[in-house]
Amino acid sequence: MVNDVLLKDVEDELGRGSWRLRFADHVEAHFEADTQRQRSRNMVVAGLIAAFIYNLFLINDFSFRPDAFTTAVALRAGVMLPVGLTILWWVYRGVSPRTREFLMASTVICATLISCMILVSSTARYSYLDVFSFGLILVVGNIVYSLRFGYALASSVLSVLIIVAFVINYAPMPLEIKRLAIFTLLANGAFTLVANYRLERSERLAYLHVLREKLRAGHYLKNNEMLSQLSLTDPLTNLANRRQLDMEFATRWREAVDKNAWLGLMVIDIDHFKAYNDRYGHLQGDDCLRQVARAMQLNSRSADLVVRFGGEEFVVLMAEASPEAAEPAAERIRRGVEALQIANAGVSPQAVVTVSVGVAVLPPEANMTADDILSHADQALYQAKRWGRNRIWVANPVDLPNADDAAGDLCRSAR
């Protein structure tokens, strides 16, 4: 049910076609949960690379502004590096999505502020040319970090304002160069923000498509499981059907052979069911079958397989049974059905629906087949009906005919 709702939300998001990036809350929560760990790792790696390159600019500081090199070392290595590494450590350890984006955006603003402080600390000739490299900080935040668009926009605006404030008041820088630097910076911010938006949009759309296919695959799997279950279940009684019996019989037969254990089988037939159908009609007959099936299920062990074999005939497959336990187990089922007190006026005014049960329990042997035990149980059912119905009969394998002479097997038609 949860996946059904999520799939509908994903379909809605894909069909929305809006410029808005954030998903509906339900989908957004899944998006963050599924991508947070990998995104945090990617940001930490990008941050380490950015920190290394940022400090490599000390070479530029030494070349362009030797008069302020000591200040540059103090600010880059003494302030920015510890702050940046601390933030990366927090992100690596795991923080909420909003905190992660805020912390990473703060490194962009901090790097911008420190770069501007280094710039104005020097009056060396051509030192102001360093301003044109400040756009790389925006590239890192908007593309390398790929901050969520809202955070990228906020950090870019603040960074540009900080740079403009320092540049305007930096006297050694000619006015024409200031205009060019500000224009270049604005263009850099705009282009990188467009790229940032498109990157996030692509990431989110790709996620939606992948999530939709995963959810659909889950639906297909669920549908296949349902179809498989339906193919093994009798639709009227919800009991196992003959196909499931064939599969389970073969498995339990092999297990009994391997364990040298006993295998038990009951063949159960509703007495005078034709008379019931003739008297009450097939719709009420179906209801009778459902009630009888429920009584059989309730009065069987959880390990036993209760099967609607066809028509009014049922089978109970008992794993690791014993002759001593089989007879009382069959008696519980017979009494459970009789206790329903379903009137069967088609037989007599006082008659109720009953069942006859044939039981066979034997240890599988090498020269036997699974059909042998079914044949014995079927012959026992014949004896129960012969002696008056509404009774059980436990087969004695020694006294019964061989399986080759028996009337029934797993493939015979139901009565």
Side-chain angles (χ1 to χ4, degrees):
M1 183 61 186
V2 174
N3 284 349
D4 294 340
V5 173
L6 180 57
L7 179 59
K8 182 180 182 302
D9 289 344
V10 169
E11 295 284 5
D12 291 343
E13 291 292 340
L14 286 170
R16 187 179 60 184
S18 172
W19 57 269
R20 185 168 62 92
L21 290 173
R22 183 178 173 84
F23 300 139
D25 292 342
H26 185 42
V27 182
E28 185 71 21
H30 277 272
F31 173 65
E32 288 294 352
D34 291 342
T35 62
Q36 180 174 0
R37 187 172 183 180
Q38 186 60 47
R39 179 168 175 78
S40 296
R41 288 181 175 181
N42 291 343
M43 280 187 152
V44 169
V45 172
L48 291 173
I49 295 173
F52 176 73
I53 294 176
Y54 188 77
N55 281 278
L56 276 182
F57 268 81
L58 285 170
I59 298 174
N60 178 74
D61 295 328
F62 181 78
S63 301
F64 272 81
R65 55 182 72 85
D67 58 326
F69 181 68
T70 302
T71 301
V73 171
L75 290 175
R76 289 186 190 273
V79 178
M80 186 63 215
L81 185 60
V83 170
L85 291 179
T86 301
I87 288 175
L88 294 179
W89 175 247
W90 284 342
V91 172
Y92 177 77
R93 290 292 302 271
V95 293
S96 69
R98 289 184 177 180
T99 303
R100 176 196 65 214
E101 299 298 320
F102 174 80
L103 289 174
M104 296 304 293
S106 68
T107 64
V108 174
I109 298 170
C110 188
T112 300
L113 180 60
I114 286 178
S115 296
C116 289
M117 292 172 65
I118 294 172
L119 170 71
V120 299
S121 66
S122 173
T123 57
R125 189 180 182 184
Y126 302 126
S127 175
Y128 57 79
L129 294 179
D130 206 24
V131 173
F132 292 96
S133 69
F134 288 0
L136 293 174
I137 300 175
L138 300 183
V139 171
V140 170
N142 297 345
I143 297 177
V144 179
Y145 288 174
S146 192
L147 294 166
R148 298 294 182 222
F149 183 74
Y151 292 88
L153 178 62
S155 62
S156 295
V157 170
L158 283 175
S159 295
V160 168
L161 290 176
I162 290 171
I163 295 171
V164 169
F166 275 90
V167 165
I168 289 177
N169 294 294
Y170 185 49
M173 191 173 186
L175 181 60
E176 296 81 2
I177 303 298
K178 289 181 180 181
R179 287 199 297 263
L180 178 60
I182 293 173
F183 176 79
T184 302
L185 187 66
L186 290 173
N188 183 288
F191 291 148
T192 55
L193 283 173
V194 170
N196 175 274
Y197 176 87
R198 295 179 66 178
L199 285 170
E200 183 174 350
R201 183 66 175 164
S202 297
E203 178 190 2
R204 287 175 173 270
L205 285 175
Y207 173 79
L208 288 177
H209 284 291
V210 171
L211 181 59
R212 181 176 64 178
E213 294 309 310
K214 287 182 178 178
L215 292 171
R216 283 179 173 178
H219 276 269
Y220 295 149
L221 178 61
K222 181 171 68 176
N223 290 338
N224 287 338
E225 290 175 349
M226 290 174 62
L227 289 173
S228 177
Q229 184 61 33
L230 287 173
S231 72
L232 299 175
T233 304
D234 175 63
L236 178 65
T237 62
N238 286 325
L239 297 178
N241 61 13
R242 291 172 61 174
R243 181 180 179 186
Q244 187 172 350
L245 173 63
D246 289 341
M247 296 169 58
E248 193 70 21
F249 209 151
T251 300
R252 296 197 184 187
W253 182 270
R254 289 193 299 269
E255 290 176 351
V257 171
D258 293 340
K259 297 178 181 179
N260 195 26
W262 291 68
L263 195 66
L265 189 75
M266 302 181 202
V267 177
I268 306 167
D269 193 77
I270 301 177
D271 299 323
H272 303 294
F273 189 69
K274 184 178 184 303
Y276 185 93
N277 265 339
D278 292 343
R279 175 67 175 79
Y280 298 101
H282 289 286
L283 289 179
Q284 197 160 335
D286 287 346
D287 185 61
C288 175
L289 287 171
R290 282 190 287 266
Q291 292 185 63
V292 171
R294 193 177 304 115
M296 291 181 186
Q297 191 81 67
L298 291 173
N299 288 283
S300 300
R301 299 179 305 172
S302 59
D304 295 341
L305 180 68
V306 184
V307 181
R308 186 187 179 197
F309 199 65
E312 69 271 22
E313 190 172 66
F314 299 83
V315 166
V316 179
L317 180 60
M318 299 176 288
E320 298 186 12
S322 67
E324 295 78 17
E327 185 171 355
E331 181 64 15
R332 283 197 305 271
I333 289 177
R334 188 199 67 79
R335 289 182 179 179
V337 174
E338 188 176 30
L340 295 173
Q341 290 295 296
I342 303 172
N344 190 356
V347 177
S348 70
Q350 295 79 29
V352 295
V353 171
T354 60
V355 294
S356 298
V357 186
V359 185
V361 182
L362 71 165
E365 297 177 0
N367 60 344
M368 297 175 62
T369 67
D371 289 345
D372 292 334
I373 187 172
L374 180 61
S375 174
H376 291 325
D378 202 44
Q379 289 295 309
L381 174 63
Y382 173 79
Q383 294 294 335
K385 285 185 172 291
R386 181 181 177 186
W387 286 92
R389 294 184 170 84
N390 190 24
R391 66 185 63 238
I392 64 172
W393 195 279
V394 180
N396 183 345
V398 176
D399 298 335
L400 288 174
N402 293 331
D404 294 338
D405 301 323
D409 57 29
L410 280 173
C411 300
R412 75 191 189 288
S413 298
R415 289 178 178 76

